[in-house]
């Protein structure tokens, strides 16, 4: 790492420590959790449950502070602070962790598993725990749990979409991780990375022609106001996790380490089930607000994106995941 990069990282570390320390409780340990989610999102309700259960079970020795709407900064910035040992955590997808341990990227690959039940089987397996240990060594991050399901991601456009050819020339916002970018390209669109907070304005000003996201995020960001069609492609099964600093985690007493991982898993299950239960209502409300929610045959999209695995070097890992899902 260069001297300049070290200086920037140190400065950012200091800024975040100042932010998360301000107003900290009298607890022995404090963890600040940052998320891009809004407070209305079912997953955020799960974070509130995580906070309450950790604080209760630890008898007040551990405090959890929640920062919705990315109040502490971008996911990538928080991951850097965690690497530096700051007592912070971020709700993040596998694509952003794949830069450290490649295997995490397969979690965001197209049609890798069906629904929460399918993807949960992967992220609670011994195979996944091996990835967790590799991540600790590679980047200094600790996964608390990775069973925070946000739903399947669908296509948002202002023109009807039934087959990949309908997306030719359509600029679609997606996160910048390679597996997401390649998936959108394989679906026929022009992948355009942008921060989530800029999607509404970019759609409104026609900087982009479309986006892709899961129902709770679409509703929470009011994208039904700037997109006419929600086409249910279900191309990415969005599973996320709470990721913190391995150095900070290792500094905790063993009982606190166990408590954090167990309560994260429990709250993740609760939040994910709440997400499952909310999807139909989100779609109903968006329909009432004028958006057309369209079911299609996803077979052409599944076939078009099958090449993503080999292209990114996930062919063999895809076979292992398939074998796990069939057990």
């Amino acid at each position: 790492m260069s001297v300049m990069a070290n200086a920037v990282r140190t400065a950012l570390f200091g800024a975040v420590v100042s932010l998360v320390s301000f107003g900290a409780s009298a607890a022995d340990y404090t963890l600040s959790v940052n998320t891009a989610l809004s407070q209305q999102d079912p997953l955020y309700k799960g974070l509130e449950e995580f906070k309450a259960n950790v604080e209760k079970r630890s008898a007040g020795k551990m405090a959890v502070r929640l920062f919705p709407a990315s109040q502490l900064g971008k996911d990538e910035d928080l991951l850097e602070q965690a690497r530096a040992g700051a007592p912070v955590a971020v709700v993040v997808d596998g694509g952003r962790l794949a830069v450290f341990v490649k295997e995490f990227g397969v979690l965001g690959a197209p049609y890798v598993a069906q629904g929460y039940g399918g993807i949960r089987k992967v992220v609670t397996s011994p195979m996944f725990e091996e990835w967790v240990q590799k991540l600790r060594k590679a980047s200094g991050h600790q996964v608390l749990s990775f069973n925070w399901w946000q739903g399947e991601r669908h296509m948002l456009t202002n023109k009807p979409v039934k087959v990949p050819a309908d997306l030719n020339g359509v600029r679609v916002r997606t996160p910048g991780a390679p597996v997401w970018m390649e998936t959108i390209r394989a679906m026929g669109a022009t992948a355009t990375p942008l921060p989530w907070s800029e999607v509404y304005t970019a759609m409104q000003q026609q900087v982009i022609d479309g986006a892709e996201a899961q129902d709770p995020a679409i509703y929470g960001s009011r994208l039904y106001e700037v997109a006419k069609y929600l086409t249910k492609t279900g191309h990415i099964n969005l599973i996320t996790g709470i990721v913190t600093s391995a150095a900070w985690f290792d500094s905790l007493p063993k009982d606190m380490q166990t408590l954090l991982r167990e309560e994260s898993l429990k709250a993740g299950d609760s939040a994910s089930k709440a997400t499952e239960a909310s999807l139909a209502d989100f779609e109903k409300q968006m329909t009432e607000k004028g958006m057309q929610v369209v079911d299609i045959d996803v077979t052409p999209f599944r076939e078009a994106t099958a090449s993503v695995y080999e292209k990114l070097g996930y062919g063999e890992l895809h076979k292992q995941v398939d074998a796990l899902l069939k057990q």
Side-chain angles (χ1 to χ4, degrees):
M1 182 177 289
S2 68
V3 173
M4 179 62 75
N6 266 321
V8 171
R9 186 167 163 182
T10 301
L12 285 171
F13 175 82
V16 170
V17 168
S18 296
L19 276 170
V20 301
S21 297
F22 180 75
S25 71
D28 294 341
Y29 313 99
T30 300
L31 178 64
S32 296
V33 183
N34 191 66
T35 175
L37 300 171
S38 70
Q39 290 173 279
Q40 290 71 45
D41 194 290
L43 236 66
Y44 189 81
K45 306 300 182 186
L47 290 175
E48 292 178 323
E49 179 181 320
F50 171 66
K51 168 184 167 65
N53 291 346
V54 166
E55 293 178 348
K56 180 179 180 180
R57 184 172 161 187
S58 70
K61 291 181 180 179
M62 174 73 73
V64 177
R65 303 179 67 220
L66 304 178
F67 294 85
S70 298
Q71 289 174 5
L72 289 182
K74 296 187 299 183
D75 291 350
E76 291 82 359
D77 291 344
L78 268 293
L79 286 173
E80 279 302 304
Q81 305 323 308
R83 292 186 79 185
V88 298
V90 60
V91 179
V92 70
D93 63 90
R96 289 182 174 87
L97 299 179
V99 297
F100 308 115
V101 173
K102 185 175 180 179
E103 287 89 337
F104 278 90
V106 81
L107 298 174
Y111 303 103
V112 68
Q114 187 170 3
Y116 179 54
I119 200 69
R120 187 189 189 279
K121 193 170 184 180
V122 177
V123 298
T124 56
S125 68
M127 177 175 67
F128 181 79
E129 190 60 28
E130 291 177 7
W131 305 353
V132 170
Q133 295 307 315
K134 286 180 71 172
L135 185 70
R136 284 175 54 87
K137 295 175 183 177
S139 67
H141 291 116
Q142 171 67 52
V143 173
L144 297 184
S145 75
F146 222 87
N147 61 323
W148 295 73
W149 188 70
Q150 298 190 31
E152 293 177 335
R153 290 174 78 92
H154 305 305
M155 194 60 63
L156 294 166
T157 59
N158 281 306
K159 57 175 276 188
V161 173
K162 292 186 178 180
V163 294
D166 293 333
L167 288 171
N168 287 345
V170 177
R171 297 163 297 177
V172 172
R173 179 271 173 186
T174 193
V179 69
W180 298 66
M181 298 279 285
E182 288 299 334
T183 296
I184 299 308
R185 290 186 189 117
M187 292 175 73
T190 300
T192 307
L194 278 177
W196 178 249
S197 60
E198 296 178 16
V199 173
Y200 185 101
T201 302
M203 285 283 288
Q204 190 177 46
Q205 297 178 351
Q206 298 182 354
V207 174
I208 54 175
D209 309 303
E212 49 87 41
Q214 64 280 9
D215 288 345
I218 296 168
Y219 185 83
S221 294
R222 305 173 67 92
L223 296 185
Y224 50 79
E225 296 178 348
V226 291
K228 294 178 182 177
Y229 298 94
L230 187 162
T231 304
K232 297 182 69 174
T233 48
H235 50 279
I236 289 173
N237 199 350
L238 183 55
I239 192 76
T240 52
I242 301 181
V243 179
T244 188
S245 163
W248 174 80
F249 183 83
D250 290 347
S251 74
L252 300 174
K254 293 293 183 184
D255 62 332
M256 288 291 176
Q257 296 176 10
T258 300
L259 180 158
L260 281 172
R261 294 204 73 184
E262 289 181 352
E263 294 303 332
S264 179
L265 186 70
K266 290 177 187 175
D269 277 339
S270 177
S272 299
K273 289 170 184 173
T275 296
E276 280 185 312
S278 73
L279 298 180
D281 187 55
F282 278 127
E283 291 180 4
K284 179 175 180 291
Q285 291 186 64
M286 288 188 282
T287 299
E288 290 172 351
K289 294 178 185 298
M291 176 176 266
Q292 293 188 45
V293 178
V294 185
D295 281 293
I296 61 165
D297 176 8
V298 302
T299 302
F301 291 96
R302 188 185 294 270
E303 292 173 348
T305 56
S307 62
V308 170
Y309 289 91
E310 292 294 341
K311 188 167 186 178
L312 294 179
Y314 287 125
E316 187 58 37
L317 185 56
H318 190 200
K319 293 176 184 176
Q320 293 175 27
V321 171
D322 277 346
L324 172 65
L325 291 171
K326 291 173 183 175
Q327 290 176 5

